[in-house]
Amino acid sequence: MRAVVLHEFGPAENLRYETVPDPVPGPGEVLVSVRAAGVHQIETAMREGLTIGPPLPELPAIFGGEVAGVVAAVGPDVDKSWIGADVVTAHGRPGGYAELAVADVSAVHRIPDGLGHEAAVTMIVTGTTAIGLLDIAALTSDDVVLVTSAAGGIGRLVVQFAHRLGATVVGAAGGPAKVAAVRGLGADVAVDYDLPQWAGTVREALGGRGVTVVLDGVEGEKGRAAFGLLTAGGRYITIGAASRTEFRPDAAELKERDVRFTDALSLLLAGQDTPADETRALAHAAAGELVPAFQTFPLSRTAAAHAALESRQTTGKVVLVPDA
């Protein structure tokens, strides 16, 4: 099969499109012909060899556990009715950056009717994380919600949900095109946080109302600016650091301003009921309640996909698809 292999940690161009042996499903496993594979922000850091997330893999490595496709074969003890089924999993092996992957049948979901492979692979991790984040945030229609990275995979889903709930939604994203996309999702206020005075723009647009909840996937200086917009009694909830620079308000500042801090990502990793939450995320998308956004790249252009994601030139989830 063709796959994208990392032989040496470093820049995006170290990802090589080459031929490797086909994986073979063992007991309890299915072989998936990959139609869509998700690319995660943390994988760009792992590719560089940065130890800021999961343990680094042994090299050579094929990244990407998020896989959607068609079951091509099954292991010796797996019901053959799986063959031909459209499925999605968050645990493809050796990785989803390939034409074929295997997964434990217990970790595989049949894709609901009406949901395509790209949408399903977007929801299996990104959608599940967004649902978990929203559970933690417990938003109400009275909230004024600021979402950073609002044009990203998680951010777009959160903006949609908060808008449907009736909350006042402020979406912050980088560049005019992304700001327009966020406004189109229903954000009451959409701002370009690459501009130096973006926080002041938010204050002016809200006309004296304070932000009650920040859902931040960026951290760094933009996270600090978002934190500064919170009113007394507000909540700062972080779901990741796309900036690769951590921001953590200190205890004294939290007490002085009467603001609560929650590291949602750590909570989700520690306590998420993954299979049930994955099913719930897929169901939300199949029902049209959440519309996942994705940007596709051919498998052979995975290096370009990584470079675009790192430079924040993508909108929605980055998804790899087979070459024509």
Side-chain angles (χ1 to χ4, degrees):
M1 70 173 179
R2 301 290 280 174
V4 175
V5 184
L6 183 71
H7 293 272
E8 182 180 359
F9 295 118
E13 54 263 32
N14 283 13
L15 293 165
R16 300 181 192 169
Y17 184 58
E18 57 191 50
T19 300
V20 300
D22 292 357
V24 177
E29 295 180 337
V30 296
L31 177 70
V32 180
S33 177
V34 179
R35 299 289 190 269
V39 179
H40 199 284
Q41 181 77 40
I42 195 64
E43 292 166 0
T44 66
M46 293 172 66
R47 186 211 67 232
E48 289 189 30
L50 301 179
T51 54
I52 61 173
L56 296 179
E58 292 185 11
L59 300 183
I62 299 172
F63 282 6
E66 303 165 31
V67 172
V70 179
V71 176
V74 298
D77 58 346
V78 177
D79 192 324
K80 288 184 170 53
S81 66
W82 280 99
I83 295 175
D86 289 301
V87 298
V88 62
T89 181
H91 303 286
R93 301 188 307 275
Y97 296 12
E99 293 176 330
L100 296 168
V102 297
D104 291 338
V105 70
S106 61
V108 166
H109 299 264
R110 293 182 186 266
I111 297 176
D113 291 343
L115 202 61
H117 294 113
E118 295 91 343
V121 87
T122 298
M123 293 303 293
I124 196 66
V125 171
T126 298
T128 300
T129 303
I131 293 294
L133 171 62
L134 289 164
D135 286 346
I136 290 169
L139 302 178
T140 74
S141 59
D142 294 328
D143 278 313
V144 178
V145 186
L146 169 58
V147 184
T148 67
S149 193
I154 292 174
R156 291 176 71 103
L157 296 172
V158 169
V159 169
Q160 291 176 54
F161 180 93
H163 171 67
R164 286 170 60 94
L165 185 65
T168 300
V169 185
V170 180
K178 291 186 178 182
V179 169
V182 171
R183 189 174 291 113
L185 293 169
D188 300 280
V189 179
V191 296
D192 184 348
Y193 62 7
D194 286 341
L195 300 178
Q197 301 301 321
W198 72 271
T201 301
V202 172
R203 287 192 183 93
E204 183 177 353
L206 291 176
R209 293 184 71 191
V211 172
T212 61
V213 183
V214 170
L215 301 178
D216 180 27
V218 180
E219 296 192 29
E221 288 305 312
K222 291 172 180 173
R224 182 179 296 278
F227 176 76
L229 290 167
L230 280 166
T231 190
R235 293 166 284 156
Y236 176 74
I237 303 172
T238 182
I239 194 64
S243 66
R244 297 191 184 177
T245 304
E246 186 179 85
F247 166 64
R248 291 290 185 271
D250 62 43
E253 187 173 14
L254 290 170
K255 182 177 180 180
E256 179 184 352
R257 294 187 52 203
D258 187 23
V259 169
R260 285 175 287 162
F261 166 71
T262 303
D263 181 351
L265 187 59
S266 293
L267 291 177
L268 292 175
L269 291 174
Q272 196 170 51
D273 182 2
T274 302
D277 291 335
E278 289 172 349
T279 298
R280 192 157 57 107
L282 292 168
H284 275 295
E289 296 165 350
L290 294 175
V291 180
F294 49 85
Q295 182 173 346
T296 61
F297 289 79
L299 181 62
S300 63
R301 299 195 68 244
T302 299
H306 265 234
L309 184 56
E310 286 178 291
S311 60
R312 305 188 68 77
Q313 298 302 307
T314 60
T315 300
K317 178 74 172 179
V318 175
V319 175
L320 306 176
V321 296
D323 285 68

